[in-house]
Amino acid sequence: MPKLKQNPMLRKLFFKLIPLPALIIFGFLLIAPLGKFLPQWTAIPSAHAGFFNNDLELLEEVVELIADKYLYPPDYKKLFSTAIDFMIKSFDRAPLSVDKSTSGQQTLMQTRSGAKTQFNLNYNREADMASLRKVYNFLLQESGEKLNKEDLETAGVIGVMNSLDPYSQYLDKSAFDKSVRDTEGRYGGLGMVITMSDNKLIVVKTMKDSPAERVGIQPDDIFVKVNGNELKKMHIQELAEILRGYPNTKVSITLMRPSNGKERTYPLIREIISIETVEYKTLGNDIGYITISSFSKQTNDQLKEALASAKNAGVKAFILDLRDNPGGLLHQSVKVASHFLFRNRLIVYTKGRSQSDYKEYRAKYKNSLHHMPVVVLINQHSASASEIVAGALKDSGRALIIGENSYGKGSVQTIFRISDGSGLRLTTSKYYTPSGTDITEYGIVPEIKILRNSPDEEEIGSGEISGATELLNQAGTPILLKESDVEKYLKEKGWVVDRDHDPILQFAHMLIENVTISNKTKTLEKAKELAANIHY
C-alpha cells in the first residue's frame, strides 16, 4: 500500500485493473471490522478518506476526544473557526486576508498572488472539518509545499484547544512527558530546589537523601557553571531542564558559597528523585504544622510519615498550610482530607456532561484524626485539589479556614495521550464541596479573612466575594483582619515574626494553642476575642 500511495501511475493502474464489485467488497472488508467498535457511524468516512491520505488524522483524533470526553457539548463552529485562525497565523509565506460575507461564506486570499479559496463554517462537525481541510490544503499549496505539514496541523490542534476553556490545552511530547513526571512526583535529577535572586541562580534547599544533599550542597550556594559552561543570562527554567535528565546520567555543577567566596565543582549522577510535597515540623509543644505544596502520587505517603512524626511528638492540634498550592491529583486530595474526617464523610462530588459522570468521593480511613482541632491556611493561589481539601474540612464544621479567598478552580482535568506521543489536558468534569459550593464561581471563602490592603482598597462585599452573599450568610460574615495589624499585635505579645514564622501562621498558632476539642464554633469564639484586641 505505501508504494500505491506514493506512485500516482501505479494507483491509476490499480483502479483500472480491479473490477468495481471487487473494490467495493475489498473496501467493505477493510472498514466493517472497525465499524462495530466505533462510537459513531460518522467516524467511518474519515477512516475511508484517510485510506490514501493521513493528513489531519491527529486533529481529527483530538476533535473526537473532545466530542466524547469534554465537560460541555463542543461548539463546532467556534472550535473549527479558532483552529483555522491559528493555522492562518502560522502561515508566514505571504500576506493573507479573510473576507466574510453576510451569508457566512468566507474567502481566504493570498494577497500577493490573488489565489483564493472559499469556505463556510456552521455547527456541523463533518462539514466544518471539510472546510478546515480545504483551508489546510490551500495553505500548503500556496506555500509551495515549503510549509511543514506537522507544524500546520499542530497550529490547528492548538487552536482547537484554545477554543475550549483556560485549563484545556495541547501538550507537545516534551510537555506531556513533564506533566506525567510531575503528577508521578518522581523524576531524574539532583534533588535541589532553585530560585533566582538579583539575577543569580541560587540553591533554596536540597532534598532528603538526594545526590545534592550527600555531597554537601547548601542553601544559598550560587550557581557558576554547569558542565563547564558559565551561566550567562540563563533563566531558571533553562537551568532546571539541564539539571533534570535520565537516571544514571552525569552532570557537573560549579557552585560558589557566599560565606567564604570559594567555588567548588561537584560531579554528580542523576537519580530518581521523589518530590517532597509535604513538610512537617512541631510548633511549640503540641501543634503539628504541615505544609503541602502540591498533590502528586507521593503526597499521601509523605503525609502519613508526617502524621507519624506528629503522633510521636504528642501533638494535640494541626495547622494545615495550603497556601500557594496549585493543586494536582484529585484522588490524593481525597486521601489527604480523609485523615481529618469521619470515615465515609462526603469530601467532594463531581458532575460532568451526563448523569453517569456524577461521582462522590468519601473519607476512607477508620482511624482518622477527626477528633483533633485543625486550622487550614489558604490564599488566592490555593487552587484545585487544595480547594477540595479546604472545602471539605470547612463544610465538616471541624476545621477553621484562615487567609484569603482561594483561586476558584473547580474543574477536573484529565490527561490523555494521543497517538503521536503528545497529549491533551482536557476538562472533563466540575467538582463541588459537600455543601454544594461551586468552587469555580465562589472559591473557598475563609472564616477569618486576612486583608493585605487597606479596607478601602479591598472592597469587601464586591469583587472577589461578589455573588457569595448567600453562602456567607449561612456560615456567618468572615472576621476581617489586616495583616499589618495582626503582625503588630503578635510582636506586642512577644511572638517572633520572620521568614519562617509569618504573621498568618503565627496568628493560627496563637488561635489553636490550648484548643483541645475539634469544634469550629469554640475556635471561632476565640478568634473573635483575639480580633477584638487587634486594632483594625
Side-chain angles (χ1 to χ4, degrees):
M1 273 320 154
K3 291 183 179 179
L4 181 65
K5 180 178 176 181
Q6 296 167 6
N7 192 324
M9 293 295 293
L10 187 61
R11 182 172 161 182
K12 188 175 180 180
L13 184 62
F14 175 84
F15 281 101
K16 206 168 184 179
L17 293 175
I18 298 180
L20 183 60
L23 184 61
I24 292 172
I25 293 170
F26 176 71
F28 178 77
L29 290 174
L30 179 72
I31 296 169
L34 293 173
K36 69 178 184 178
F37 298 110
L38 293 172
Q40 299 179 29
W41 175 255
T42 54
I44 291 177
S46 64
H48 188 275
F51 183 73
F52 290 114
N53 185 350
N54 61 2
D55 286 4
L56 299 178
E57 280 190 349
L58 184 68
L59 193 143
E60 287 187 335
E61 182 181 352
V62 169
V63 173
E64 179 70 32
L65 198 55
I66 291 169
D68 186 40
K69 302 293 185 182
Y70 187 53
L71 173 60
Y72 305 108
D75 178 343
Y76 289 116
K77 184 175 182 179
K78 179 183 177 183
L79 186 150
F80 283 100
S81 177
T82 311
I84 288 173
D85 286 345
F86 272 69
M87 287 166 63
I88 291 173
K89 287 175 184 176
S90 73
F91 184 87
D92 58 359
R93 309 295 174 187
L96 294 168
S97 65
V98 180
D99 295 322
K100 299 181 181 180
S101 70
T102 54
S103 64
Q105 185 83 358
Q106 300 185 51
T107 302
L108 175 62
M109 177 182 291
Q110 192 196 110
T111 309
R112 187 180 298 161
S113 68
K116 61 183 179 181
T117 187
Q118 292 184 323
F119 63 96
N120 187 45
L121 293 174
N122 49 46
Y123 298 96
N124 180 277
R125 173 176 158 185
E126 285 72 27
D128 289 348
M129 184 67 206
S131 292
L132 181 141
R133 190 177 291 277
K134 197 174 184 181
V135 172
Y136 170 84
N137 289 327
F138 175 82
L139 294 174
L140 286 179
Q141 181 179 338
E142 292 307 306
S143 73
E145 298 189 351
K146 294 179 181 179
L147 191 63
N148 185 289
K149 287 184 175 184
E150 288 185 3
D151 290 344
L152 186 58
E153 183 173 15
T154 299
V157 170
I158 294 172
V160 165
M161 299 307 293
N162 274 37
S163 74
L164 303 177
D165 63 272
Y167 306 111
S168 294
Q169 63 180 135
Y170 168 72
L171 305 169
D172 62 24
K173 293 176 184 178
S174 174
F176 176 77
D177 290 342
K178 182 180 183 300
S179 183
V180 171
R181 180 183 66 207
D182 289 347
T183 54
E184 287 282 345
R186 298 166 70 87
Y187 65 92
L190 305 177
M192 288 184 288
V193 177
I194 58 177
T195 190
M196 178 170 274
S197 178
D198 297 326
N199 294 318
K200 296 175 182 176
L201 292 160
I202 300 170
V203 177
V204 176
K205 67 176 183 178
T206 58
M207 297 177 185
K208 184 172 60 179
D209 195 30
S210 66
E213 184 193 55
R214 290 196 295 270
V215 297
I217 293 172
Q218 296 181 7
D220 298 324
D221 284 355
I222 299 170
F223 281 87
V224 180
K225 298 178 183 178
V226 175
N227 293 329
N229 300 315
E230 292 188 7
L231 307 181
K232 294 179 179 178
K233 297 182 179 180
M234 181 175 284
H235 293 291
I236 188 169
Q237 192 58 43
E238 293 177 89
L239 176 61
E241 290 301 317
I242 292 172
L243 298 181
R244 287 185 174 187
Y246 291 106
N248 300 318
T249 56
K250 296 178 180 179
V251 63
S252 171
I253 61 174
T254 302
L255 301 172
M256 190 271 286
R257 186 152 296 163
S259 60
N260 56 26
K262 293 183 179 179
E263 293 184 7
R264 181 177 172 183
T265 298
Y266 301 88
L268 299 169
I269 297 176
R270 297 182 181 94
E271 297 177 4
I272 291 291
I273 304 295
S274 293
I275 302 172
E276 295 292 330
T277 61
V278 178
E279 292 185 10
Y280 171 80
K281 61 183 176 182
T282 304
L283 303 179
N285 296 322
D286 56 5
I287 307 297
Y289 176 49
I290 299 171
T291 302
I292 302 179
S293 58
S294 65
F295 291 86
S296 75
K297 282 190 175 180
Q298 312 298 317
T299 299
N300 189 51
D301 290 338
Q302 293 170 5
L303 178 59
K304 287 179 179 178
E305 292 180 14
L307 294 176
S309 298
K311 184 177 180 180
N312 291 335
V315 304
K316 297 176 182 176
F318 286 98
I319 298 171
L320 183 60
D321 195 340
L322 301 177
R323 289 175 295 178
D324 299 316
N325 184 322
L329 298 175
L330 172 62
H331 71 272
Q332 286 289 317
S333 69
V334 171
K335 289 179 179 179
V336 168
S338 295
H339 288 287
F340 304 97
L341 296 171
F342 281 107
R343 187 180 185 183
N344 208 38
R345 177 99 191 202
L346 181 62
I347 291 174
V348 67
Y349 63 91
T350 62
K351 292 195 294 187
R353 196 194 303 180
S354 65
Q355 278 191 322
S356 61
D357 292 326
Y358 178 87
K359 291 182 181 177
E360 291 185 349
Y361 297 85
R362 295 183 175 272
K364 297 174 175 291
Y365 307 127
K366 183 177 180 181
N367 298 317
S368 68
L369 302 170
H370 60 268
H371 58 286
M372 300 190 76
V374 179
V375 167
V376 180
L377 307 183
I378 60 173
N379 64 8
Q380 60 183 319
H381 303 296
S382 303
S384 187
S386 58
E387 293 176 290
I388 290 175
V389 174
L393 297 186
K394 179 185 178 182
D395 286 359
S396 72
R398 297 184 176 277
L400 195 66
I401 313 298
I402 301 177
E404 302 171 318
N405 280 27
S406 64
Y407 184 83
K409 182 184 177 295
S411 57
V412 179
Q413 281 68 47
T414 305
I415 296 176
F416 297 92
R417 183 190 291 273
I418 48 184
S419 57
D420 70 340
S422 59
L424 301 183
R425 180 180 283 114
L426 191 64
T427 299
T428 51
S429 58
K430 289 181 70 174
Y431 57 77
Y432 301 80
T433 71
S435 65
T437 301
D438 182 340
I439 294 175
T440 299
E441 189 170 355
Y442 302 119
I444 302 300
V445 180
E447 284 108 346
I448 302 175
K449 188 175 174 73
I450 308 295
L451 308 180
R452 294 174 184 257
N453 304 317
S454 69
D456 293 335
E457 291 172 295
E458 190 64 21
E459 295 186 28
I460 298 303
S462 62
E464 62 179 326
I465 304 187
S466 177
T469 307
E470 183 181 345
L471 293 172
L472 289 176
N473 288 338
Q474 291 172 4
T477 303
I479 296 171
L480 304 178
L481 296 173
K482 197 174 170 185
E483 186 174 5
S484 57
D485 288 340
V486 172
E487 182 173 350
K488 182 180 177 181
Y489 178 77
L490 288 165
K491 288 179 177 178
E492 288 174 354
K493 294 297 181 181
W495 288 70
V496 174
V497 178
D498 56 23
R499 188 173 71 174
D500 296 323
H501 303 84
D502 65 88
I504 298 174
L505 170 60
Q506 292 293 64
F507 178 75
H509 186 178
M510 177 184 281
L511 180 60
I512 204 169
E513 192 175 42
N514 300 321
V515 173
T516 57
I517 301 172
S518 177
N519 187 312
K520 182 190 290 189
T521 303
K522 290 190 175 182
T523 311
L524 204 51
E525 286 174 2
K526 185 175 179 180
K528 289 177 181 177
E529 291 175 12
L530 289 175
N533 295 315
I534 296 175
H535 301 293
Y536 172 65

